[in-house]
Amino acid sequence: LCLAANLAAQRQSSLDSAYIRDNFTKREVMIPMRDGVRLFTTIYSPKAQSSQHPFILRRTPYSCGPYGADSYSYAFQNMALARSGYIFVFQDVRGKYMSEGGFVDVRPFSPATDPSPKGKTQTDEATDTYDTVDWLLKNVAGNNGRVGVMGISYPGFYATMALLAGHPAIKAVSPQAPVTDWFIGDDFHHNGALMLMDAFSFYSGFGKPRPQPTTEG
């Protein structure tokens, strides 16, 4: 039974990979933020251009690879959505992997009247989301002006920040098990006590210094 399940999973992975390569065009870009920092972004656009498509945006500190114009993802998190006609966008957040700038863990939201360039000059994850969405609408052909943002765990934190971006094109946000507060309600400080094993296990990889953009973890 285990062997059969493994073979079935391998076959499905192969089918998903082939579907993405056959039905999407991949593009890698550096999207400028309002302070001049550029964020590395991968865009998968459906080859079928008979109609306009909405975006699904996923911002992540865990790499939006594979990198390279001809290196396609093996699968998206939801292949049913891939077959439904969306433009998929994956972005390395500020200071991670191939994006410029400095990384800040769970970067705090900077309150302002609104995160649009006219109302806010300082940057946070809400402004980076706003600026990314604004660029996508103007520079990706075949879009219908509607954006959904999703993420699980740490990417769920960035999806939550999209709620605060306030861009009128963002129509749906799905933060799934998002990181919120590492002192209350998350495993780093479980019931108030620092969990050394969890923290050091995570940061032994995630916390490595990254002095310049890189495709390596």
Side-chain angles (χ1 to χ4, degrees), residues 155-167:
F157 163 75
Y158 296 105
T160 303
M161 291 297 103
L163 290 166
L164 302 177
H167 197 291

Side-chain angles (χ1 to χ4, degrees), residues 3-202:
L3 178 59
N6 186 50
L7 290 173
Q10 290 180 12
R11 181 175 182 275
Q12 187 60 54
S13 177
S14 179
L15 291 173
D16 291 344
S17 176
Y19 183 88
I20 292 172
R21 184 172 288 275
D22 291 344
N23 291 278
F24 287 87
T25 299
K26 183 182 178 183
R27 177 184 174 196
E28 295 180 335
V29 297
M30 297 292 288
I31 298 181
M33 301 293 103
R34 65 192 64 190
D35 62 347
V37 168
R38 300 180 304 161
L39 303 187
F40 186 92
T41 309
T42 300
I43 304 166
Y44 289 87
S45 297
K47 292 180 179 179
Q49 293 293 313
S50 56
S51 61
Q52 294 181 318
H53 306 281
F55 291 102
I56 290 182
L57 171 62
R58 180 175 179 267
R59 306 185 65 239
T60 179
Y62 297 133
S63 169
C64 69
Y67 299 99
D70 197 46
S71 296
Y72 280 65
S73 177
Y74 292 112
F76 300 149
Q77 283 184 335
N78 191 319
M79 288 303 296
L81 291 178
R83 291 175 169 83
S84 298
Y86 286 85
I87 302 169
F88 283 82
V89 180
F90 305 96
Q91 184 177 75
D92 289 335
V93 298
R94 183 180 290 252
K96 280 293 185 178
Y97 287 87
M98 288 295 288
S99 284
E100 298 173 349
F103 177 74
V104 175
D105 257 320
V106 195
R107 189 186 303 270
F109 175 70
S110 300
T113 53
D114 68 81
S116 69
K118 291 182 180 179
K120 192 173 183 179
T121 56
Q122 68 268 40
T123 61
D124 55 28
E125 302 307 337
T127 63
D128 283 355
T129 303
Y130 188 104
D131 295 346
T132 296
V133 168
D134 221 46
W135 189 95
L136 292 170
L137 296 173
K138 298 171 183 176
N139 294 277
V140 178
N143 80 80
N144 69 358
R146 300 170 69 86
V147 180
V149 187
M150 64 184 298
I152 302 172
S153 191
Y154 213 138
F157 163 75
Y158 296 105
T160 303
M161 291 297 103
L163 290 166
L164 302 177
H167 197 291
I170 298 177
K171 304 299 184 182
V173 177
S174 177
Q176 302 169 38
V179 170
T180 51
D181 188 332
W182 278 352
F183 286 90
I184 300 174
D186 216 315
D187 282 344
F188 275 0
H189 294 83
H190 192 70
N191 294 328
L194 175 63
M195 294 184 67
L196 290 175
M197 291 289 286
D198 184 45
F200 279 94
S201 174
F202 180 67

